[in-house]
Amino acid sequence: MAADYDLIIIGGGLAGASLACALAGSSLHIAVVEAIPASSDDQLSYDDRTTALAYSSRRIFEGIGVWRQIEQEGACPIHHILISDRGHFGFTRLHAVEAGLDALGYVATNRVMGRALSNVMQAANNIELLCPATIEQVKITADYASCSIRQRQQTRTISARLVVVAEGGRSGLREVLGIASKRKDYKQTAIVTNVTPGKSHDHVAYERFTETGPLALLPLQGQRCGVVWTTRQDHASTILSWDDQEFLQQLQQRFGNRLGKFERVGKRQSYPLFLNRVDEQTRERLVLIGNAAHAVHPVAGQGFNLGLRDVATLAQVLVEAVQHGDDIGALSVVRAYEEWRVRDNRIVSRFTDSLVRIFSNDFLPLVIGRNLGLLGVDFLPGLKREFSRRTSGLNGRLPRLARGLPLEPDHG
Ligand SMILES: Cc1cc2nc3c(=O)[nH]c(=O)nc-3n(C[C@H](O)[C@H](O)[C@H](O)COP(=O)(O)OP(=O)(O)OC[C@H]3O[C@@H](n4cnc5c(N)ncnc54)[C@H](O)[C@@H]3O)c2cc1C
């Protein structure tokens, strides 16, 4: 029996939608199943949260045809990053020019990215968007994977040669499929909002480590800044209960006066933080990508960038399998993908986890060590360049899209 689709992507959030866009116009017949309409306030993947995009992510977005719209609707370049340890001597400054890049990264809202991705998906003839609809079960057989889909109060079955689970960090199918994962609750909450500072941000992104967690201020279009204020879980409700004035005063006290007086603040939202990594990222006819495969602390703004490198790699592996006449769901194909991604995923989750552990510790030798580490990066040009390129997603074995090349060489 022929499968209904070549590929079913479960979850049309940022990772799932990006994969669909990367394969738009290919010979693959794709279904994207998404539980929540993009226009809904409950669609967290497309909310007002700001995301720092690494330079490699800009290249991937260019390659899949969404960057122009994201840039036009508001992506603010980051020219400098200033990392400091509140109340201590250590700091590091990273500059795009020193890394040989136009920008170290960009800041865009999830809403802007979501809109651009939706437009490309809707315009593609080979993509069917099934939304709102939920996949409740996945069964793998030798020839295809079948999914039971709940749509308009009815349940039916759809099948494909390959199923990609892009369900996000709260993925329920992992459990249904018996895929174990390692989870660590940071017992921290990120409070996310926008503020208008008195002085221009001059395209500087600030990462300030404080005793209760990191505080990031990211440059946005229109001279606003995105705030990611990480705090202990038990303190989050207090921060959320402050009125605007109190919030601005407390933020000012924590951040200092580099950006002048904070004048206005937008809506505040909170996100519990945890680390998660699945033990198996692939099985025959099954791949997990994005937060469904690995959720990391937002400390260095790496989570979606990592997911986007999953997307660029998987799209390339699938397109090459098609060119060679291989079955895209075959174990050899999905394992080639997993082997390629394992190193980057491991490095980034260890890196972010170490940052959280090292910077939330008051043990004096560790405080001195981390501050010397920050100064070391600042004063050693080779180390600094390496650090900048790593945070820009430009290290290691990169897929074609992340190198600024088209997915398929012939179409270049
Ligand atoms: C406070 C905070 C700040 C962050 N900042 C950054 C940053 O600066 N840079 C960065 O790179 N990353 C950042 N991240 C991480 C980034 O937001 C995530 O990595 C990214 O949103 C994950 O996308 P995803 O598509 O994998 O998952 P999600 O966004 O969770 O999307 C999953 C989608 O699947 C759908 N779905 C789930 N189950 C089903 C089902 N059974 N059937 C159908 N549909 C289903 C959901 O409705 C949802 O739309 C941050 C995260 C947080 C919490």
Side-chain angles (χ1 to χ4, degrees):
M1 190 191 93
D4 301 316
Y5 301 95
D6 296 308
L7 172 63
I8 295 173
I9 302 173
I10 307 174
L14 290 175
S18 298
L19 179 64
C21 291
L23 295 168
S26 71
S27 61
L28 297 174
H29 183 204
I30 302 168
V32 178
V33 185
E34 169 53 49
I36 303 167
S39 55
S40 161
D41 284 345
D42 296 331
Q43 177 42 287
L44 291 182
S45 207
Y46 298 163
D47 62 7
D48 284 319
R49 206 170 1 156
T50 49
T51 292
L53 294 168
Y55 195 80
S56 67
S57 296
R58 173 224 161 116
R59 284 185 179 161
I60 295 170
F61 272 160
E62 267 175 341
I64 68 177
V66 294
W67 179 248
R68 188 179 297 193
Q69 186 183 339
I70 293 173
E71 198 173 31
Q72 274 168 0
E73 291 197 14
C76 187
I78 301 172
H79 293 153
H80 317 275
I81 299 179
L82 212 137
I83 308 166
S84 58
D85 191 5
R86 185 172 182 252
H88 301 289
F89 59 87
F91 64 87
T92 289
R93 295 156 297 189
L94 306 176
H95 307 288
V97 175
E98 285 177 7
L101 299 169
D102 316 338
L104 289 166
Y106 299 81
V107 188
T109 64
N110 289 2
R111 200 173 291 286
V112 164
M113 292 190 280
R115 242 192 326 258
L117 291 164
S118 294
N119 285 349
V120 170
M121 272 198 296
Q122 274 159 17
N125 292 328
N126 64 325
I127 300 174
E128 245 176 83
L129 184 59
L130 307 174
C131 176
T134 308
I135 298 290
E136 297 178 327
Q137 179 69 267
V138 178
K139 285 209 174 95
I140 312 288
T141 66
D143 300 324
Y144 52 85
S146 62
C147 303
S148 81
I149 178 171
R150 181 105 187 125
Q151 190 176 23
R152 292 187 217 100
Q153 274 103 47
Q154 287 186 337
T155 303
R156 64 192 165 102
T157 301
I158 54 175
S159 60
R161 287 190 288 145
L162 176 67
V163 164
V164 172
V165 177
E167 276 192 318
R170 282 171 287 185
S171 169
L173 287 175
R174 277 191 309 231
E175 213 168 303
V176 170
L177 288 158
I179 295 178
S181 62
K182 290 184 189 66
R183 188 182 161 95
K184 169 172 165 183
D185 187 345
Y186 284 114
K187 299 198 179 358
Q188 290 184 342
T189 298
I191 314 277
V192 177
T193 189
N194 295 336
V195 291
T196 308
K199 286 189 195 163
S200 162
H201 55 57
D202 285 333
H203 300 275
V204 181
Y206 297 88
E207 182 85 70
R208 198 138 212 240
F209 291 97
T210 78
E211 53 292 353
T212 53
L215 170 66
L217 264 88
L218 304 170
L220 288 176
Q221 294 285 5
Q223 283 310 333
R224 288 170 310 131
C225 288
V227 177
V228 185
W229 181 342
T230 310
T231 189
R232 288 189 320 264
Q233 236 161 31
D234 56 2
H235 187 49
S237 51
T238 309
I239 298 185
L240 290 168
S241 71
W242 290 334
D243 64 21
D244 289 359
Q245 230 30 54
E246 174 81 16
F247 180 87
L248 289 172
Q249 265 171 22
Q250 296 279 353
L251 180 68
Q252 192 88 55
Q253 200 203 338
R254 228 141 247 281
F255 180 76
N257 293 317
R258 279 175 197 281
L259 285 168
K261 188 167 183 288
F262 292 123
E263 287 161 5
R264 288 176 57 195
V265 57
K267 200 169 80 180
R268 273 162 265 162
Q269 281 172 308
S270 66
Y271 302 85
L273 302 180
F274 53 87
L275 175 80
N276 205 359
R277 228 156 70 86
V278 289
D279 293 343
E280 288 167 278
Q281 216 177 320
T282 59
R283 280 183 187 171
E284 190 166 19
R285 312 212 169 276
L286 187 78
V287 176
L288 275 72
I289 61 165
N291 273 31
H294 44 68
V296 298
H297 193 288
V299 58
Q302 294 289 316
F304 176 56
N305 292 303
L306 199 58
L308 209 46
R309 294 202 288 279
D310 287 349
V311 163
T313 307
L314 183 57
Q316 182 171 330
V317 167
L318 296 184
V319 160
E320 284 171 2
V322 171
Q323 280 166 354
H324 298 141
D326 295 336
D327 175 354
I328 58 165
L331 198 56
S332 56
V333 172
V334 297
R335 281 283 148 82
Y337 161 76
E338 181 164 4
E339 277 160 25
W340 190 340
R341 290 301 301 143
V342 82
R343 192 176 140 79
D344 189 22
N345 284 335
R346 194 182 302 133
I347 288 175
V348 172
S349 43
R350 283 193 185 154
F351 169 64
T352 50
D353 188 49
S354 307
L355 281 181
V356 178
R357 275 188 293 113
I358 293 169
F359 281 91
S360 21
N361 200 312
D362 290 336
F363 182 51
L364 190 62
L366 203 59
V367 172
I368 294 171
R370 77 191 181 209
N371 279 273
L372 288 174
L374 283 176
L375 285 179
V377 173
D378 199 60
F379 286 118
L380 297 171
L383 191 59
K384 196 171 187 173
R385 194 178 154 85
E386 164 72 19
F387 189 72
S388 300
R389 292 193 75 80
R390 183 161 291 287
T391 51
S392 304
L394 296 171
N395 270 26
R397 184 182 164 208
L398 294 175
R400 291 178 61 82
L401 287 170
R403 282 184 281 145
L405 300 171
L407 187 58
E408 295 183 67
D410 306 343
H411 295 177

